[in-house]
């Protein structure tokens, strides 16, 4: 039973890691689905092989699966990591708005940024951004704008009333 529990824990860590580092809810959701599926298959095969398919274990596995999928789908690990380092995000965005030089690549907590700047499109306010990619026309990163206006959004995850994570297409 230890092996099945270890594999299920490993699947949980993979899904949380996918949610935190991929920043893409669709990809994180797919990885989570396959990680949970692998955990379920492993647990079931082991239980049938040992002839110890317990009701308590099945219920725990179901509840664990729901928690894992919920964590990935809501982006909770990304939001928690962002909240822990929001002061640093605010300081860097203030520098970008003032036109002060910021050297890249830059690490803020677990996040690595290779570019950043201020974008203004149409009537939208000046929006500072920190990008994990180098293509200025398709920003994938954090923007200090709760609704992502001024960006050609493919996906957006609001982090709080000031910041969002966006991916452009």
């Amino acid at each position: 039973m230890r092996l099945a529990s270890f594999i299920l824990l490993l699947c949980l860590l993979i899904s949380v890691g996918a949610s935190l580092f991929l920043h893409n809810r669709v990809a994180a959701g797919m990885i989570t689905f396959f990680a949970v599926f692998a955990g379920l298959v492993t647990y079931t095969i082991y239980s049938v092989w040992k002839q110890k398919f317990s009701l308590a274990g099945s219920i725990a596995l179901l509840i664990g699966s729901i928690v894992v999928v919920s964590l990935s789908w809501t982006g909770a690990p990304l939001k928690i990591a962002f909240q822990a380092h929001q002061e640093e995000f605010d300081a860097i965005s203030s520098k970008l708005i003032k036109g002060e030089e910021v050297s890249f690549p830059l690490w803020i907590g677990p996040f690595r940024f290779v570019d950043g700047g201020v974008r203004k499109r149409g009537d939208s306010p000046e929006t500072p951004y920190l990008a994990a990619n180098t293509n200025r026309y398709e920003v994938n990163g954090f923007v200090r704008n709760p609704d992502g206006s001024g960006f050609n959004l493919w996906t957006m995850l609001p982090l709080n009333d000031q910041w969002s994570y966006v991916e452009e297409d």
Side-chain angles (χ1 to χ4, degrees):
M1 194 58 123
R2 289 182 184 167
L3 177 63
S5 299
F6 172 76
I7 291 176
L8 191 58
L9 179 62
L10 182 64
C11 292
L12 172 68
L13 291 174
I14 289 170
S15 64
V16 170
S19 178
L20 182 61
F21 293 109
L22 285 181
H23 311 300
N24 182 328
R25 291 190 334 185
V26 175
M30 290 300 292
I31 289 174
T32 299
F33 173 77
F34 287 115
V36 169
F37 180 73
L40 286 169
V41 168
T42 302
Y43 180 80
T44 304
I45 290 172
Y46 183 82
S47 297
V48 168
W49 178 55
K50 290 290 189 177
Q51 297 175 351
K52 294 182 179 180
F53 201 80
S54 69
L55 180 62
S58 299
I59 292 171
L61 185 62
L62 178 63
I63 291 171
S65 300
I66 291 169
V67 168
V68 168
V69 170
S70 298
L71 281 175
S72 177
W73 189 254
T74 61
L78 178 67
K79 289 179 180 180
I80 291 168
F82 171 79
Q83 293 297 330
H85 301 283
Q86 185 175 353
E87 289 179 7
E88 295 171 65
F89 278 89
D90 290 338
I92 297 297
S93 70
S94 295
K95 285 183 178 182
L96 291 170
I97 289 174
K98 292 176 187 174
E100 296 177 15
E101 187 170 332
V102 177
S103 60
F104 293 96
L106 169 73
W107 283 91
I108 298 178
F111 307 108
R112 182 177 187 267
F113 301 104
V114 295
D115 193 19
V118 177
R119 183 179 285 185
K120 178 160 178 55
R121 285 192 179 168
D123 294 336
S124 66
E126 288 187 338
T127 304
Y129 66 89
L130 294 168
N133 63 332
T134 56
N135 188 349
R136 288 181 180 256
Y137 299 103
E138 291 183 5
V139 171
N140 294 336
F142 295 84
V143 298
R144 190 171 186 173
N145 189 326
D147 62 2
S149 61
F151 291 85
N152 184 20
L153 298 177
W154 178 68
T155 185
M156 183 185 83
L157 177 65
L159 300 170
N160 60 23
D161 60 344
Q162 294 179 342
W163 286 87
S164 296
Y165 177 82
V166 301
E167 290 184 7
E168 291 187 303
D169 56 358

